[in-house]
Amino acid sequence: MEQPIPTTESTAGVFEAETLSTRADEVFARTSPYSGDGFRNHCKRLFTFTSMLLAREGTELDRDLAYAIAMCHDLGLVSEQDQGYCYLDRSRALFHREMADLQLGDTPREIIDECLLYNHRLLPVPNLSPQADAFRRAVQIEHTRGLLRFGLDRDAVARTFEQHPRDNFDRVLLDFTWRVARREPWTLVKGIFF
């Protein structure tokens, strides 16, 4: 069953104070240079797949936090103001800079950092938290277009792709590849395989 995207609208229809998910949407809109819905839908699919894996495995992670991580996980590729060893470090720096004044709940910072730093790893990472490993596997579901599912229901995965279509995401991926190849080609190996 698909997990709904977090929202700040209360049951009475009155908007509450800013949450991680609303801040994440604002940060994404301000940072992403791409038109179309491809990049945004990629992040929403990642959130949904991660939520499905967490629920299936009984692993706890605050939904707003998971959504914020998913929306920010690739922004280090396009951020012009965040510093870091590679785009994964810049995504982590952006997340903590942008969310610094909001409550992150009881999730240890180390788990948040693992989710942001290791989500593109193809191979299992020793001693990785189950939350970060769910993000890592969700990225693989996303990039294999559902061929890998790690036990998730085929129809639920297919529905997620239907509800958040790829749109222009292939063009975004080409731009990502060009940015990495031009700026930090070694991360194609270091960030993905090691």
Side-chain angles (χ1 to χ4, degrees):
M1 182 171 142
E2 181 182 353
Q3 301 292 318
I5 303 296
T7 178
T8 57
E9 188 174 359
S10 71
T11 54
V14 177
F15 283 86
E16 302 167 355
E18 186 175 29
T19 64
L20 287 167
S21 57
T22 55
R23 175 70 61 83
D25 283 335
E26 188 273 325
V27 169
F28 184 92
R30 183 168 26 89
T31 307
S32 173
Y34 305 110
S35 61
D37 291 326
F39 188 21
R40 181 184 314 274
N41 285 350
H42 160 67
C43 296
K44 289 184 177 185
R45 287 190 303 269
L46 178 61
F47 163 72
T48 302
F49 296 143
T50 300
S51 297
M52 292 164 69
L53 287 166
L54 292 169
R56 180 180 181 275
E57 295 160 9
T59 302
E60 295 291 325
L61 184 62
D62 178 82
R63 289 181 48 69
D64 272 350
L65 179 58
Y67 182 79
I69 291 169
M71 295 307 290
C72 294
H73 84 285
D74 276 339
L75 291 179
L77 283 159
V78 296
S79 173
E80 297 296 330
Q81 67 183 100
D82 295 290
Q83 301 299 312
Y85 179 67
C86 66
Y87 70 88
L88 299 160
D89 284 319
R90 291 192 299 277
S91 292
R92 176 180 59 176
L94 177 144
F95 179 89
H96 289 298
R97 176 177 55 79
E98 293 284 4
M99 307 298 169
D101 62 326
L102 296 178
Q103 294 296 319
L104 299 181
D106 297 331
T107 303
R109 182 180 171 128
E110 295 78 23
I111 290 178
I112 297 168
D113 289 349
E114 286 180 358
C115 292
L116 291 160
L117 291 173
Y118 297 107
N119 64 78
H120 284 165
R121 288 284 181 95
L122 290 176
L123 301 175
V125 177
N127 303 313
L128 192 64
S129 68
Q131 294 87 346
D133 195 58
F135 267 97
R136 184 187 70 80
R137 288 176 289 138
V139 167
Q140 292 183 30
I141 295 169
E142 165 68 5
H143 287 301
T144 64
R145 299 185 189 204
L147 290 176
L148 291 176
R149 292 187 307 281
F150 300 99
L152 296 183
D153 178 73
R154 180 189 308 269
D155 292 338
V157 169
R159 276 194 305 276
T160 301
F161 281 102
E162 290 168 8
Q163 290 167 342
H164 306 292
R166 286 181 65 86
D167 191 53
N168 64 336
F169 190 53
D170 289 332
R171 280 184 288 163
V172 172
L173 285 174
L174 282 174
D175 186 62
F176 279 0
T177 303
W178 172 245
R179 286 172 186 263
V180 172
R182 190 179 66 221
R183 186 174 181 178
E184 51 191 282
W186 44 269
T187 60
L188 291 172
V189 173
K190 182 139 182 77
I192 296 173
F193 294 104
F194 306 102

PDB file of all heavy atoms in Angstrom, residues 8 64 81 89 102 156 186 189:
ATOM      1  N   THR A   8       1.088  19.291   5.852  1.00  0.00           N
ATOM      2  CA  THR A   8       0.950  20.084   7.075  1.00  0.00           C
ATOM      3  C   THR A   8      -0.485  20.505   7.325  1.00  0.00           C
ATOM      4  O   THR A   8      -0.764  21.202   8.271  1.00  0.00           O
ATOM      5  CB  THR A   8       1.827  21.348   6.999  1.00  0.00           C
ATOM      6  OG1 THR A   8       1.459  22.081   5.837  1.00  0.00           O
ATOM      7  CG2 THR A   8       3.290  20.988   6.965  1.00  0.00           C
ATOM      8  N   ASP A  64       7.974  12.584   8.305  1.00  0.00           N
ATOM      9  CA  ASP A  64       8.393  13.894   7.810  1.00  0.00           C
ATOM     10  C   ASP A  64       9.896  13.920   7.573  1.00  0.00           C
ATOM     11  O   ASP A  64      10.371  14.492   6.595  1.00  0.00           O
ATOM     12  CB  ASP A  64       8.023  14.998   8.805  1.00  0.00           C
ATOM     13  CG  ASP A  64       6.622  15.543   8.585  1.00  0.00           C
ATOM     14  OD1 ASP A  64       5.994  15.213   7.569  1.00  0.00           O
ATOM     15  OD2 ASP A  64       6.156  16.314   9.441  1.00  0.00           O
ATOM     16  N   GLN A  81      25.985  26.502  -3.063  1.00  0.00           N
ATOM     17  CA  GLN A  81      26.499  27.114  -1.843  1.00  0.00           C
ATOM     18  C   GLN A  81      26.964  26.121  -0.785  1.00  0.00           C
ATOM     19  O   GLN A  81      27.492  26.531   0.238  1.00  0.00           O
ATOM     20  CB  GLN A  81      25.459  28.065  -1.254  1.00  0.00           C
ATOM     21  CG  GLN A  81      24.208  27.397  -0.742  1.00  0.00           C
ATOM     22  CD  GLN A  81      23.197  28.416  -0.251  1.00  0.00           C
ATOM     23  OE1 GLN A  81      22.259  28.740  -0.944  1.00  0.00           O
ATOM     24  NE2 GLN A  81      23.409  28.922   0.947  1.00  0.00           N
ATOM     25  N   ASP A  89      28.215  14.484   0.225  1.00  0.00           N
ATOM     26  CA  ASP A  89      28.543  15.363   1.346  1.00  0.00           C
ATOM     27  C   ASP A  89      27.821  16.697   1.221  1.00  0.00           C
ATOM     28  O   ASP A  89      27.371  17.264   2.220  1.00  0.00           O
ATOM     29  CB  ASP A  89      30.054  15.627   1.408  1.00  0.00           C
ATOM     30  CG  ASP A  89      30.829  14.454   1.959  1.00  0.00           C
ATOM     31  OD1 ASP A  89      30.374  13.837   2.927  1.00  0.00           O
ATOM     32  OD2 ASP A  89      31.916  14.173   1.417  1.00  0.00           O
ATOM     33  N   LEU A 102      14.659  23.487  12.607  1.00  0.00           N
ATOM     34  CA  LEU A 102      13.487  22.632  12.800  1.00  0.00           C
ATOM     35  C   LEU A 102      13.843  21.433  13.674  1.00  0.00           C
ATOM     36  O   LEU A 102      14.992  21.001  13.713  1.00  0.00           O
ATOM     37  CB  LEU A 102      12.947  22.149  11.455  1.00  0.00           C
ATOM     38  CG  LEU A 102      12.418  23.223  10.504  1.00  0.00           C
ATOM     39  CD1 LEU A 102      11.965  22.599   9.197  1.00  0.00           C
ATOM     40  CD2 LEU A 102      11.282  24.018  11.132  1.00  0.00           C
ATOM     41  N   ALA A 156       2.269  -2.688  -6.075  1.00  0.00           N
ATOM     42  CA  ALA A 156       2.456  -1.464  -5.298  1.00  0.00           C
ATOM     43  C   ALA A 156       3.612  -0.640  -5.858  1.00  0.00           C
ATOM     44  O   ALA A 156       3.531   0.598  -5.933  1.00  0.00           O
ATOM     45  CB  ALA A 156       2.707  -1.804  -3.825  1.00  0.00           C
ATOM     46  N   TRP A 186      35.565  10.822 -10.003  1.00  0.00           N
ATOM     47  CA  TRP A 186      35.906   9.724  -9.106  1.00  0.00           C
ATOM     48  C   TRP A 186      34.724   9.285  -8.248  1.00  0.00           C
ATOM     49  O   TRP A 186      34.695   8.167  -7.783  1.00  0.00           O
ATOM     50  CB  TRP A 186      37.100  10.121  -8.226  1.00  0.00           C
ATOM     51  CG  TRP A 186      36.969  11.498  -7.682  1.00  0.00           C
ATOM     52  CD1 TRP A 186      37.444  12.650  -8.263  1.00  0.00           C
ATOM     53  CD2 TRP A 186      36.286  11.899  -6.502  1.00  0.00           C
ATOM     54  NE1 TRP A 186      37.086  13.743  -7.490  1.00  0.00           N
ATOM     55  CE2 TRP A 186      36.389  13.299  -6.408  1.00  0.00           C
ATOM     56  CE3 TRP A 186      35.595  11.201  -5.500  1.00  0.00           C
ATOM     57  CZ2 TRP A 186      35.825  14.033  -5.363  1.00  0.00           C
ATOM     58  CZ3 TRP A 186      35.033  11.948  -4.458  1.00  0.00           C
ATOM     59  CH2 TRP A 186      35.166  13.326  -4.395  1.00  0.00           C
ATOM     60  N   VAL A 189      32.682   6.084  -8.962  1.00  0.00           N
ATOM     61  CA  VAL A 189      33.127   4.830  -8.363  1.00  0.00           C
ATOM     62  C   VAL A 189      33.035   4.917  -6.842  1.00  0.00           C
ATOM     63  O   VAL A 189      32.437   4.077  -6.186  1.00  0.00           O
ATOM     64  CB  VAL A 189      34.568   4.495  -8.794  1.00  0.00           C
ATOM     65  CG1 VAL A 189      35.080   3.284  -8.034  1.00  0.00           C
ATOM     66  CG2 VAL A 189      34.613   4.247 -10.285  1.00  0.00           C
TER      67      VAL A 189
END
